[in-house]
mmCIF file of all heavy atoms in Angstrom:
data_model
loop_
_atom_site.group_PDB
_atom_site.id
_atom_site.type_symbol
_atom_site.label_atom_id
_atom_site.label_comp_id
_atom_site.label_asym_id
_atom_site.label_seq_id
_atom_site.Cartn_x
_atom_site.Cartn_y
_atom_site.Cartn_z
ATOM 1 N N SER A 1480 -1.919 -9.142 -3.505
ATOM 2 C CA SER A 1480 -1.393 -10.408 -4.018
ATOM 3 C C SER A 1480 -0.008 -10.164 -4.610
ATOM 4 O O SER A 1480 0.393 -9.019 -4.868
ATOM 5 C CB SER A 1480 -2.322 -10.969 -5.091
ATOM 6 O OG SER A 1480 -2.305 -10.133 -6.241
ATOM 7 N N THR A 1481 0.740 -11.202 -4.827
ATOM 8 C CA THR A 1481 2.088 -11.069 -5.384
ATOM 9 C C THR A 1481 2.065 -10.326 -6.709
ATOM 10 O O THR A 1481 2.853 -9.398 -6.945
ATOM 11 C CB THR A 1481 2.721 -12.458 -5.572
ATOM 12 O OG1 THR A 1481 2.779 -13.122 -4.304
ATOM 13 C CG2 THR A 1481 4.125 -12.341 -6.143
ATOM 14 N N GLU A 1482 1.164 -10.717 -7.600
ATOM 15 C CA GLU A 1482 1.084 -10.059 -8.898
ATOM 16 C C GLU A 1482 0.565 -8.644 -8.786
ATOM 17 O O GLU A 1482 1.020 -7.737 -9.505
ATOM 18 C CB GLU A 1482 0.200 -10.884 -9.837
ATOM 19 C CG GLU A 1482 0.821 -12.191 -10.272
ATOM 20 C CD GLU A 1482 2.193 -11.987 -10.908
ATOM 21 O OE1 GLU A 1482 2.332 -11.077 -11.761
ATOM 22 O OE2 GLU A 1482 3.136 -12.728 -10.555
ATOM 23 N N GLY A 1483 -0.402 -8.420 -7.885
ATOM 24 C CA GLY A 1483 -0.940 -7.080 -7.705
ATOM 25 C C GLY A 1483 0.117 -6.110 -7.206
ATOM 26 O O GLY A 1483 0.205 -4.963 -7.675
ATOM 27 N N LEU A 1484 0.939 -6.548 -6.257
ATOM 28 C CA LEU A 1484 1.998 -5.692 -5.733
ATOM 29 C C LEU A 1484 3.046 -5.398 -6.795
ATOM 30 O O LEU A 1484 3.544 -4.267 -6.903
ATOM 31 C CB LEU A 1484 2.631 -6.347 -4.504
ATOM 32 C CG LEU A 1484 1.744 -6.390 -3.248
ATOM 33 C CD1 LEU A 1484 2.379 -7.245 -2.171
ATOM 34 C CD2 LEU A 1484 1.477 -4.981 -2.713
ATOM 35 N N LYS A 1485 3.409 -6.406 -7.591
ATOM 36 C CA LYS A 1485 4.379 -6.180 -8.673
ATOM 37 C C LYS A 1485 3.844 -5.142 -9.650
ATOM 38 O O LYS A 1485 4.566 -4.245 -10.085
ATOM 39 C CB LYS A 1485 4.661 -7.488 -9.406
ATOM 40 C CG LYS A 1485 5.525 -8.474 -8.640
ATOM 41 C CD LYS A 1485 5.761 -9.708 -9.494
ATOM 42 C CE LYS A 1485 6.561 -10.758 -8.748
ATOM 43 N NZ LYS A 1485 6.767 -11.974 -9.570
ATOM 44 N N ARG A 1486 2.566 -5.273 -9.989
ATOM 45 C CA ARG A 1486 1.981 -4.370 -10.982
ATOM 46 C C ARG A 1486 1.976 -2.922 -10.483
ATOM 47 O O ARG A 1486 2.378 -2.015 -11.209
ATOM 48 C CB ARG A 1486 0.548 -4.818 -11.295
ATOM 49 C CG ARG A 1486 -0.213 -3.880 -12.233
ATOM 50 C CD ARG A 1486 -1.555 -4.468 -12.624
ATOM 51 N NE ARG A 1486 -2.387 -4.764 -11.471
ATOM 52 C CZ ARG A 1486 -3.148 -3.866 -10.846
ATOM 53 N NH1 ARG A 1486 -3.155 -2.600 -11.269
ATOM 54 N NH2 ARG A 1486 -3.898 -4.215 -9.824
ATOM 55 N N ILE A 1487 1.559 -2.727 -9.238
ATOM 56 C CA ILE A 1487 1.436 -1.342 -8.764
ATOM 57 C C ILE A 1487 2.796 -0.742 -8.411
ATOM 58 O O ILE A 1487 3.033 0.452 -8.608
ATOM 59 C CB ILE A 1487 0.446 -1.264 -7.586
ATOM 60 C CG1 ILE A 1487 -0.116 0.157 -7.473
ATOM 61 C CG2 ILE A 1487 1.091 -1.702 -6.259
ATOM 62 C CD1 ILE A 1487 -1.376 0.262 -6.646
ATOM 63 N N LEU A 1488 3.732 -1.577 -7.936
ATOM 64 C CA LEU A 1488 5.063 -1.058 -7.625
ATOM 65 C C LEU A 1488 5.838 -0.682 -8.880
ATOM 66 O O LEU A 1488 6.763 0.138 -8.827
ATOM 67 C CB LEU A 1488 5.855 -2.080 -6.812
ATOM 68 C CG LEU A 1488 5.452 -2.234 -5.339
ATOM 69 C CD1 LEU A 1488 6.235 -3.367 -4.689
ATOM 70 C CD2 LEU A 1488 5.677 -0.935 -4.563
ATOM 71 N N SER A 1489 5.455 -1.260 -10.013
ATOM 72 C CA SER A 1489 6.146 -0.933 -11.264
ATOM 73 C C SER A 1489 5.954 0.530 -11.643
ATOM 74 O O SER A 1489 6.710 1.068 -12.457
ATOM 75 C CB SER A 1489 5.651 -1.837 -12.398
ATOM 76 O OG SER A 1489 4.284 -1.572 -12.689
ATOM 77 N N ILE A 1490 4.962 1.183 -11.051
ATOM 78 C CA ILE A 1490 4.753 2.613 -11.295
ATOM 79 C C ILE A 1490 5.919 3.423 -10.738
ATOM 80 O O ILE A 1490 6.296 4.453 -11.304
ATOM 81 C CB ILE A 1490 3.434 3.079 -10.638
ATOM 82 C CG1 ILE A 1490 2.242 2.334 -11.238
ATOM 83 C CG2 ILE A 1490 3.252 4.578 -10.760
ATOM 84 C CD1 ILE A 1490 0.926 2.598 -10.518
ATOM 85 N N ALA A 1491 6.517 2.933 -9.638
ATOM 86 C CA ALA A 1491 7.513 3.724 -8.916
ATOM 87 C C ALA A 1491 8.930 3.192 -9.009
ATOM 88 O O ALA A 1491 9.868 3.895 -8.625
ATOM 89 C CB ALA A 1491 7.114 3.820 -7.438
ATOM 90 N N MET A 1492 9.115 1.951 -9.499
ATOM 91 C CA MET A 1492 10.470 1.384 -9.520
ATOM 92 C C MET A 1492 10.629 0.429 -10.701
ATOM 93 O O MET A 1492 9.650 -0.152 -11.181
ATOM 94 C CB MET A 1492 10.761 0.667 -8.194
ATOM 95 C CG MET A 1492 9.876 -0.529 -7.907
ATOM 96 S SD MET A 1492 10.102 -1.190 -6.234
ATOM 97 C CE MET A 1492 9.481 0.150 -5.237
ATOM 98 N N PRO A 1493 11.866 0.228 -11.176
ATOM 99 C CA PRO A 1493 12.080 -0.585 -12.373
ATOM 100 C C PRO A 1493 11.980 -2.091 -12.155
ATOM 101 O O PRO A 1493 11.678 -2.826 -13.099
ATOM 102 C CB PRO A 1493 13.493 -0.197 -12.814
ATOM 103 C CG PRO A 1493 14.164 0.250 -11.557
ATOM 104 C CD PRO A 1493 13.087 0.906 -10.735
ATOM 105 N N ASP A 1494 12.263 -2.572 -10.945
ATOM 106 C CA ASP A 1494 12.287 -4.018 -10.712
ATOM 107 C C ASP A 1494 11.480 -4.360 -9.450
ATOM 108 O O ASP A 1494 12.041 -4.698 -8.410
ATOM 109 C CB ASP A 1494 13.734 -4.504 -10.569
ATOM 110 C CG ASP A 1494 13.822 -6.016 -10.412
ATOM 111 O OD1 ASP A 1494 12.823 -6.716 -10.716
ATOM 112 O OD2 ASP A 1494 14.884 -6.510 -9.966
ATOM 113 N N PRO A 1495 10.165 -4.295 -9.524
ATOM 114 C CA PRO A 1495 9.334 -4.531 -8.334
ATOM 115 C C PRO A 1495 9.436 -5.947 -7.790
ATOM 116 O O PRO A 1495 9.200 -6.164 -6.603
ATOM 117 C CB PRO A 1495 7.922 -4.229 -8.834
ATOM 118 C CG PRO A 1495 7.982 -4.417 -10.301
ATOM 119 C CD PRO A 1495 9.341 -3.980 -10.710
ATOM 120 N N ALA A 1496 9.805 -6.909 -8.612
ATOM 121 C CA ALA A 1496 9.877 -8.300 -8.156
ATOM 122 C C ALA A 1496 10.929 -8.491 -7.075
ATOM 123 O O ALA A 1496 10.815 -9.388 -6.231
ATOM 124 C CB ALA A 1496 10.155 -9.228 -9.332
ATOM 125 N N SER A 1497 11.963 -7.640 -7.077
ATOM 126 C CA SER A 1497 13.046 -7.807 -6.098
ATOM 127 C C SER A 1497 12.819 -6.996 -4.825
ATOM 128 O O SER A 1497 13.641 -7.034 -3.898
ATOM 129 C CB SER A 1497 14.382 -7.402 -6.721
ATOM 130 O OG SER A 1497 14.389 -6.009 -7.025
ATOM 131 N N ALA A 1498 11.711 -6.251 -4.764
ATOM 132 C CA ALA A 1498 11.441 -5.430 -3.579
ATOM 133 C C ALA A 1498 11.189 -6.319 -2.365
ATOM 134 O O ALA A 1498 10.430 -7.289 -2.434
ATOM 135 C CB ALA A 1498 10.237 -4.534 -3.837
ATOM 136 N N ARG A 1499 11.793 -5.993 -1.247
ATOM 137 C CA ARG A 1499 11.664 -6.766 -0.005
ATOM 138 C C ARG A 1499 10.535 -6.149 0.839
ATOM 139 O O ARG A 1499 10.762 -5.272 1.660
ATOM 140 C CB ARG A 1499 12.985 -6.785 0.736
ATOM 141 C CG ARG A 1499 14.128 -7.402 -0.080
ATOM 142 C CD ARG A 1499 15.443 -7.327 0.657
ATOM 143 N NE ARG A 1499 15.409 -8.088 1.896
ATOM 144 C CZ ARG A 1499 16.397 -8.072 2.803
ATOM 145 N NH1 ARG A 1499 17.475 -7.326 2.600
ATOM 146 N NH2 ARG A 1499 16.285 -8.782 3.904
ATOM 147 N N ILE A 1500 9.337 -6.622 0.613
ATOM 148 C CA ILE A 1500 8.148 -6.019 1.216
ATOM 149 C C ILE A 1500 7.991 -6.435 2.680
ATOM 150 O O ILE A 1500 8.051 -7.626 3.013
ATOM 151 C CB ILE A 1500 6.895 -6.403 0.405
ATOM 152 C CG1 ILE A 1500 7.002 -5.824 -1.017
ATOM 153 C CG2 ILE A 1500 5.623 -5.905 1.087
ATOM 154 C CD1 ILE A 1500 5.904 -6.296 -1.954
ATOM 155 N N ILE A 1501 7.786 -5.445 3.542
ATOM 156 C CA ILE A 1501 7.537 -5.707 4.962
ATOM 157 C C ILE A 1501 6.066 -6.015 5.174
ATOM 158 O O ILE A 1501 5.702 -6.986 5.825
ATOM 159 C CB ILE A 1501 7.938 -4.490 5.824
ATOM 160 C CG1 ILE A 1501 9.433 -4.174 5.648
ATOM 161 C CG2 ILE A 1501 7.604 -4.734 7.289
ATOM 162 C CD1 ILE A 1501 9.850 -2.864 6.308
ATOM 163 N N ARG A 1502 5.213 -5.180 4.600
ATOM 164 C CA ARG A 1502 3.773 -5.377 4.744
ATOM 165 C C ARG A 1502 3.051 -4.546 3.705
ATOM 166 O O ARG A 1502 3.606 -3.601 3.130
ATOM 167 C CB ARG A 1502 3.289 -4.986 6.129
ATOM 168 C CG ARG A 1502 3.428 -3.480 6.410
ATOM 169 C CD ARG A 1502 2.147 -2.868 6.939
ATOM 170 N NE ARG A 1502 2.271 -1.421 7.069
ATOM 171 C CZ ARG A 1502 1.344 -0.636 7.557
ATOM 172 N NH1 ARG A 1502 0.216 -1.137 7.987
ATOM 173 N NH2 ARG A 1502 1.507 0.667 7.623
ATOM 174 N N SER A 1503 1.796 -4.905 3.461
ATOM 175 C CA SER A 1503 0.930 -4.123 2.579
ATOM 176 C C SER A 1503 -0.499 -4.234 3.097
ATOM 177 O O SER A 1503 -0.907 -5.282 3.589
ATOM 178 C CB SER A 1503 1.010 -4.632 1.134
ATOM 179 O OG SER A 1503 0.575 -5.977 1.049
ATOM 180 N N ARG A 1504 -1.230 -3.161 2.992
ATOM 181 C CA ARG A 1504 -2.631 -3.172 3.408
ATOM 182 C C ARG A 1504 -3.354 -1.958 2.813
ATOM 183 O O ARG A 1504 -2.709 -0.981 2.419
ATOM 184 C CB ARG A 1504 -2.783 -3.162 4.927
ATOM 185 C CG ARG A 1504 -2.204 -1.959 5.611
ATOM 186 C CD ARG A 1504 -2.570 -1.897 7.075
ATOM 187 N NE ARG A 1504 -3.993 -1.680 7.270
ATOM 188 C CZ ARG A 1504 -4.537 -1.387 8.454
ATOM 189 N NH1 ARG A 1504 -3.765 -1.315 9.535
ATOM 190 N NH2 ARG A 1504 -5.827 -1.191 8.567
ATOM 191 N N VAL A 1505 -4.663 -2.049 2.764
ATOM 192 C CA VAL A 1505 -5.490 -0.955 2.260
ATOM 193 C C VAL A 1505 -6.158 -0.262 3.442
ATOM 194 O O VAL A 1505 -6.629 -0.927 4.372
ATOM 195 C CB VAL A 1505 -6.558 -1.477 1.273
ATOM 196 C CG1 VAL A 1505 -7.550 -0.371 0.913
ATOM 197 C CG2 VAL A 1505 -5.885 -2.000 -0.001
ATOM 198 N N TYR A 1506 -6.161 1.063 3.434
ATOM 199 C CA TYR A 1506 -6.856 1.796 4.489
ATOM 200 C C TYR A 1506 -7.656 2.934 3.862
ATOM 201 O O TYR A 1506 -7.458 3.300 2.699
ATOM 202 C CB TYR A 1506 -5.882 2.333 5.539
ATOM 203 C CG TYR A 1506 -4.949 3.406 5.029
ATOM 204 C CD1 TYR A 1506 -5.294 4.744 5.126
ATOM 205 C CD2 TYR A 1506 -3.725 3.074 4.455
ATOM 206 C CE1 TYR A 1506 -4.460 5.734 4.664
ATOM 207 C CE2 TYR A 1506 -2.874 4.064 3.981
ATOM 208 C CZ TYR A 1506 -3.245 5.383 4.090
ATOM 209 O OH TYR A 1506 -2.413 6.357 3.613
ATOM 210 N N THR A 1507 -8.556 3.481 4.653
ATOM 211 C CA THR A 1507 -9.440 4.555 4.207
ATOM 212 C C THR A 1507 -9.162 5.818 5.023
ATOM 213 O O THR A 1507 -8.932 5.735 6.231
ATOM 214 C CB THR A 1507 -10.921 4.143 4.386
ATOM 215 O OG1 THR A 1507 -11.147 2.919 3.688
ATOM 216 C CG2 THR A 1507 -11.852 5.213 3.833
ATOM 217 N N HIS A 1508 -9.168 6.963 4.353
ATOM 218 C CA HIS A 1508 -8.961 8.228 5.055
ATOM 219 C C HIS A 1508 -10.184 8.579 5.904
ATOM 220 O O HIS A 1508 -11.321 8.400 5.473
ATOM 221 C CB HIS A 1508 -8.722 9.354 4.056
ATOM 222 C CG HIS A 1508 -7.341 9.351 3.486
ATOM 223 N ND1 HIS A 1508 -6.919 10.288 2.575
ATOM 224 C CD2 HIS A 1508 -6.286 8.526 3.689
ATOM 225 C CE1 HIS A 1508 -5.666 10.047 2.249
ATOM 226 N NE2 HIS A 1508 -5.268 8.985 2.903
ATOM 227 N N HIS A 1509 -9.933 9.102 7.098
ATOM 228 C CA HIS A 1509 -11.002 9.543 7.990
ATOM 229 C C HIS A 1509 -10.761 10.993 8.385
ATOM 230 O O HIS A 1509 -9.615 11.436 8.504
ATOM 231 C CB HIS A 1509 -11.049 8.687 9.260
ATOM 232 C CG HIS A 1509 -11.336 7.241 9.011
ATOM 233 N ND1 HIS A 1509 -12.607 6.737 8.904
ATOM 234 C CD2 HIS A 1509 -10.496 6.187 8.846
ATOM 235 C CE1 HIS A 1509 -12.554 5.432 8.681
ATOM 236 N NE2 HIS A 1509 -11.287 5.076 8.648
ATOM 237 N N ALA A 1510 -11.821 11.717 8.603
ATOM 238 C CA ALA A 1510 -11.750 13.076 9.147
ATOM 239 C C ALA A 1510 -12.838 13.177 10.203
ATOM 240 O O ALA A 1510 -13.989 13.511 9.902
ATOM 241 C CB ALA A 1510 -11.948 14.109 8.046
ATOM 242 N N ARG A 1511 -12.487 12.873 11.441
ATOM 243 C CA ARG A 1511 -13.486 12.809 12.514
ATOM 244 C C ARG A 1511 -12.962 13.473 13.785
ATOM 245 O O ARG A 1511 -11.761 13.449 14.066
ATOM 246 C CB ARG A 1511 -13.879 11.367 12.801
ATOM 247 C CG ARG A 1511 -14.602 10.691 11.639
ATOM 248 C CD ARG A 1511 -15.077 9.294 12.011
ATOM 249 N NE ARG A 1511 -15.765 8.653 10.902
ATOM 250 C CZ ARG A 1511 -17.056 8.802 10.642
ATOM 251 N NH1 ARG A 1511 -17.790 9.556 11.424
ATOM 252 N NH2 ARG A 1511 -17.607 8.187 9.617
ATOM 253 N N LEU A 1512 -13.910 14.027 14.537
ATOM 254 C CA LEU A 1512 -13.574 14.728 15.774
ATOM 255 C C LEU A 1512 -14.620 14.402 16.823
ATOM 256 O O LEU A 1512 -15.822 14.542 16.582
ATOM 257 C CB LEU A 1512 -13.536 16.237 15.514
ATOM 258 C CG LEU A 1512 -13.127 17.154 16.668
ATOM 259 C CD1 LEU A 1512 -11.673 16.926 17.041
ATOM 260 C CD2 LEU A 1512 -13.352 18.617 16.275
ATOM 261 N N ALA A 1513 -14.157 13.946 17.993
ATOM 262 C CA ALA A 1513 -15.096 13.646 19.077
ATOM 263 C C ALA A 1513 -15.818 14.925 19.499
ATOM 264 O O ALA A 1513 -15.221 16.003 19.574
ATOM 265 C CB ALA A 1513 -14.353 13.043 20.263
ATOM 266 N N LYS A 1514 -17.107 14.803 19.776
ATOM 267 C CA LYS A 1514 -17.901 15.968 20.163
ATOM 268 C C LYS A 1514 -17.421 16.552 21.481
ATOM 269 O O LYS A 1514 -17.579 17.755 21.743
ATOM 270 C CB LYS A 1514 -19.380 15.589 20.262
ATOM 271 C CG LYS A 1514 -20.308 16.779 20.409
ATOM 272 C CD LYS A 1514 -21.762 16.392 20.261
ATOM 273 C CE LYS A 1514 -22.657 17.623 20.314
ATOM 274 N NZ LYS A 1514 -24.085 17.261 20.124
ATOM 275 N N ALA A 1515 -16.829 15.725 22.331
ATOM 276 C CA ALA A 1515 -16.242 16.187 23.589
ATOM 277 C C ALA A 1515 -15.006 15.343 23.860
ATOM 278 O O ALA A 1515 -14.917 14.196 23.429
ATOM 279 C CB ALA A 1515 -17.238 16.065 24.736
#
């Protein structure tokens, strides 16, 4: 959300409101290998 992105980006930059965001999404790490 707009507020959620501002809050978390404030960890890394002083003015998150002016950041020109291309996209945001949540993903999960995987460690998988096909058996063949």
Side-chain angles (χ1 to χ4, degrees):
S1480 67
T1481 301
E1482 290 305 314
L1484 290 171
K1485 286 182 183 179
R1486 175 173 57 83
I1487 203 163
L1488 285 175
S1489 66
I1490 299 172
M1492 63 188 66
D1494 184 16
S1497 65
R1499 301 177 63 187
I1500 297 172
I1501 300 172
R1502 66 130 186 183
S1503 61
R1504 61 171 293 190
V1505 171
Y1506 67 91
T1507 304
H1508 283 181
H1509 298 274
R1511 295 185 180 274
L1512 183 66
K1514 191 170 184 178

